[in-house]
Amino acid sequence: MKIALTGGSGKLGRVAVEYLRASGHEVWNLDRVGERADRGFILTDLTDYGQVIDAIAGVDDRHDGVDAVVHLGALPAPGLAPDAATFRNNMLATHSVFQAARRLGIKRIAYASSETVLGLPFDIDPPYIPVDEEYETRPESTYSLVKHLEEHMARQLCRWDPELSISALRFSNVMVPEDYRRFPQFDSDPRARKWNLWGYIDARDGAQAIEKALLTARPGFEAYIIANADTVMSRSSASLAAEVFPNVRVTKELGEHETMLGIDKARRLLGFDPQFSWRQEA
């Protein structure tokens, strides 16, 4: 496919661009920062709708249109900027990308939603463990509120256009191999990483999920939790849940280190199959 990918200079974006290109796709990185030597980089302010639709439609000798859009560009976490700046940047960027794709007749969109919509940092107990996509979103920050609103916008756009496919990938905390050396430190305090139920996503597996969301795209909106199959901890998942969330119902027998961010839907509908674990790399 020919793919316009926003935020390709970010942590997940860099890996996704490399992965998709290695899989044979043509990928253009729309971002505010990038390497001039990379002919796939197109300097773009994602909050400027005119720039976005122009960059996706075609740029001089770079490309003359795309088959799909991947939207990763955003302020990537709470607390990196004032709330008003986070709301303005992320909401405008996502609207610009979705609207541009719609106007250009592009029917396949995959984008970065976030595990934060599940209720992170879980100061209020989750409704059950493992969490999944079946309960209403619970934004607890401006960042996650925007992710909630983006998902609602995506649903409505798919209602307007029954042929449009938008996949919201609720990525867990993105990690690359050099991050894994500090994972053993997490064992000293089971509550230090309870804020996302001890989850993570290897950027390479995140890139896999992006490609599979595009290849399996079906009309309509779907949200998927994208996390690795294990936790960041050496302790068993069952013991962590029992100690830190004693009043929360555990709906299944948890494997020794099984993720508590339910990925069954992504496995079933996308064919998502995490290949990497910090246990192999640390």
Side-chain angles (χ1 to χ4, degrees):
M1 285 180 283
K2 297 179 180 180
I3 301 168
L5 187 149
T6 73
S9 301
K11 189 174 187 179
L12 175 58
R14 291 192 301 271
V15 176
V17 168
E18 181 179 345
Y19 181 99
L20 292 168
R21 287 177 178 168
S23 296
H25 306 288
E26 296 180 54
V27 183
W28 287 272
N29 170 21
L30 280 55
D31 208 331
R32 288 187 292 189
V33 295
E35 296 296 328
R36 182 177 176 183
D38 177 7
R39 283 186 53 79
F41 170 64
I42 300 171
L43 180 66
T44 312
D45 179 353
L46 299 177
T47 66
D48 184 326
Y49 174 69
Q51 289 189 40
V52 174
I53 193 168
D54 205 24
I56 294 175
V59 177
D60 294 336
D61 60 344
R62 302 294 180 91
H63 74 93
D64 58 2
V66 301
D67 307 307
V69 169
V70 175
H71 177 43
L72 307 179
L75 289 167
L80 298 179
D83 287 346
T86 298
F87 188 95
R88 179 185 184 280
N89 183 87
N90 290 3
M91 199 75 223
L92 277 178
T94 300
H95 178 266
S96 293
V97 172
F98 286 0
Q99 183 73 344
R102 268 190 356 105
R103 294 297 191 200
L104 295 170
I106 298 165
K107 302 299 184 182
R108 294 175 187 237
I109 302 173
Y111 82 100
S113 185
S114 170
E115 64 182 356
T116 60
V117 302
L118 299 168
L120 275 64
F122 293 119
D123 291 335
I124 299 172
D125 285 351
Y128 46 78
I129 290 175
V131 296
D132 57 22
E133 301 87 352
E134 296 304 312
Y135 66 91
E136 180 55 52
T137 52
R138 296 180 171 190
E140 300 290 353
S141 66
T142 296
Y143 174 83
S144 58
L145 175 62
V146 173
K147 293 299 184 182
H148 162 81
L149 294 172
E150 289 171 353
E151 288 193 7
H152 188 64
M153 174 168 59
R155 285 188 182 90
Q156 299 309 313
L157 295 179
C158 289
R159 181 176 62 83
W160 292 358
D161 181 354
E163 295 181 0
L164 180 61
S165 171
I166 303 182
S167 297
L169 304 177
R170 294 176 175 176
F171 290 112
S172 187
N173 190 198
V174 177
M175 299 290 180
V176 292
E178 50 264 39
D179 293 323
Y180 294 143
R181 65 175 64 96
R182 58 192 174 88
F183 273 37
Q185 302 170 16
F186 298 148
D187 283 334
S188 62
D189 180 3
R191 286 174 168 75
R193 293 278 308 189
K194 67 92 179 173
W195 53 268
N196 76 336
L197 300 182
W198 307 278
Y200 74 107
I201 180 66
D202 187 290
R204 294 164 292 184
D205 284 321
Q208 174 209 148
I210 290 167
E211 182 184 35
K212 290 189 172 177
L214 295 179
L215 293 176
T216 63
R218 55 184 61 80
F221 171 84
E222 291 288 353
Y224 303 95
I225 295 172
I226 304 297
N228 274 80
D230 61 342
T231 69
V232 303
M233 304 292 281
S234 297
R235 285 181 49 180
S236 74
S237 297
S239 72
L240 288 166
E243 177 179 342
V244 181
F245 296 103
N247 300 317
V248 176
R249 177 171 57 97
V250 178
T251 60
K252 61 181 285 191
E253 183 176 348
L254 295 170
E256 180 67 11
H257 301 118
E258 184 177 351
T259 181
M260 286 173 263
L261 300 171
I263 58 174
D264 290 349
K265 181 179 178 181
R267 288 184 185 275
R268 185 176 71 253
L269 296 184
L270 299 181
F272 174 61
D273 183 22
Q275 299 296 303
F276 300 95
S277 168
W278 72 273
R279 297 168 210 281
Q280 303 158 351
E281 309 259 357

